[in-house]
Amino acid sequence: MARHLAIVFLLVVLAVSVAPSRYAMADGSCAAIRVGGADLWYPYAFRDADSNEARGIAYDLIRWIGNELQVPVVFGERVPWARTEMLFDHGDLDVIAGVYNGSERWEGRGFLTIPFAEDKVSVFVKKGEEFPFSAPEDLNGRLGAALLGARWGARFERHRSKLPLQEVQKHEQVLRMILRDRVDYGVLPYFTGKYWASQLTGGDRLTALDTPISINPVHFVIARGSPCAGLLRRINGLITKARETGVLDGIVSMHTPVS
């Protein structure tokens, strides 16, 4: 019963939308949190196909955090990832909701919060064409597909240049290439890959190998020059509060299948 009540409360909070006219107060403090992020990263950060509403664990958690801080959260337009990073670097976004812990990638650009989730990255293949896999070296001699510009953990990236990888723009393209026998495998975040496998084949022709390529902590990153950067400690405290009070579990349960 407590979990159901928590989810009802979350739905009320997450439905509130405020559109302020200013994003920094006269004293330079944060008047609104301008948020960008991925648009097809299930279940963390995606856009509703009908309403274009920002949905997912990362977006709903930052909504809850904004409510706790009494600071409005404003979501940016749906744009490609490279454009999101550009807006972030140019001061047009305060937060990217959902990034891996690549400290060197964000050094000098922003501040990572403590993690609020983990994202497993997997090797996808056709069912019946599985092969032993425990390390990136096991992919040698096989043709693969991956997302352009995506990074899947330090160990995989160190070996990446040795692999014949075809890079594409969209998650579903990776899986279509497997289905059409253009590649032997594809690399995708586990939940995202499962979602698109279900969309393309009902989930009965593609599978993920048992051992993941990596398991990556998921964070928010706050722009270094943002008027909201001073909220980093409070945001970290609220992530901890969300985890300890069951709020985070409630958000996760709304976006992940019941096992």
Side-chain angles (χ1 to χ4, degrees):
M1 175 63 75
R3 167 171 280 192
H4 291 311
L5 290 174
I7 291 175
V8 170
F9 170 75
L10 281 169
L11 290 171
V12 172
V13 169
L14 302 178
V16 174
S17 176
V18 181
S21 57
R22 300 169 65 203
Y23 302 117
M25 303 294 285
D27 63 359
S29 61
C30 179
I33 303 172
R34 299 166 297 167
V35 177
D39 62 356
L40 289 171
W41 183 18
Y42 299 93
Y44 301 98
F46 58 95
R47 296 286 181 143
D48 185 90
D50 297 319
S51 67
N52 202 39
E53 179 188 4
R55 298 183 59 196
I57 296 167
Y59 289 146
D60 284 354
L61 180 58
I62 198 67
R63 283 189 180 97
W64 179 83
I65 288 171
N67 185 75
E68 291 291 296
L69 293 170
Q70 297 187 354
V71 177
V73 172
V74 179
F75 291 95
E77 295 296 320
R78 183 175 187 171
V79 296
W81 180 258
R83 176 69 175 163
T84 295
E85 289 202 33
M86 184 182 301
L87 292 169
F88 180 81
D89 290 336
H90 290 177
D92 296 313
L93 290 175
D94 301 301
V95 170
I96 295 180
V99 299
Y100 289 164
N101 182 11
S103 299
E104 72 289 345
R105 184 173 188 176
W106 302 108
E107 186 174 355
R109 302 169 67 192
F111 305 101
L112 288 169
T113 67
I114 62 173
F116 56 86
E118 288 184 333
D119 190 35
K120 180 169 68 173
V121 177
S122 295
V123 176
F124 284 83
V125 298
K126 274 187 177 179
K127 286 187 177 179
E129 298 184 8
E130 297 89 343
F131 53 85
F133 174 80
S134 60
E137 291 75 12
D138 294 325
L139 300 174
N140 291 350
R142 302 179 189 272
L143 181 60
L147 289 178
L148 180 67
R151 302 177 186 182
W152 302 132
R155 186 176 182 184
F156 180 77
E157 295 307 319
R158 285 194 297 269
H159 193 71
R160 185 175 190 142
S161 63
K162 301 175 184 178
L163 299 174
L165 277 177
Q166 297 190 23
E167 296 188 323
V168 295
Q169 295 281 353
K170 296 181 179 180
H171 302 90
E172 65 267 33
Q173 288 177 295
V174 172
L175 300 182
R176 289 186 192 278
M177 292 177 76
I178 300 171
L179 291 169
R180 294 170 181 170
D181 295 319
R182 293 177 57 188
V183 295
D184 301 309
Y185 69 91
V187 179
L188 286 174
Y190 176 78
F191 285 112
T192 301
K194 293 290 283 186
Y195 170 83
W196 283 111
S198 176
Q199 294 293 305
L200 294 174
T201 72
D204 58 358
R205 294 181 59 197
L206 294 161
T207 189
L209 300 183
D210 290 338
T211 303
I213 279 182
S214 60
I215 299 176
N216 301 290
V218 182
H219 308 250
F220 299 117
V221 61
I222 306 173
R224 180 172 290 272
S226 165
C228 303
L231 295 174
L232 177 63
R233 183 175 295 181
R234 293 178 67 189
I235 290 172
N236 281 338
L238 287 168
I239 292 171
T240 300
K241 177 181 176 180
R243 184 178 292 115
E244 292 176 347
T245 60
V247 167
L248 184 54
D249 283 344
I251 291 173
V252 170
S253 71
M254 289 192 292
H255 295 293
T256 53
V258 177
S259 56

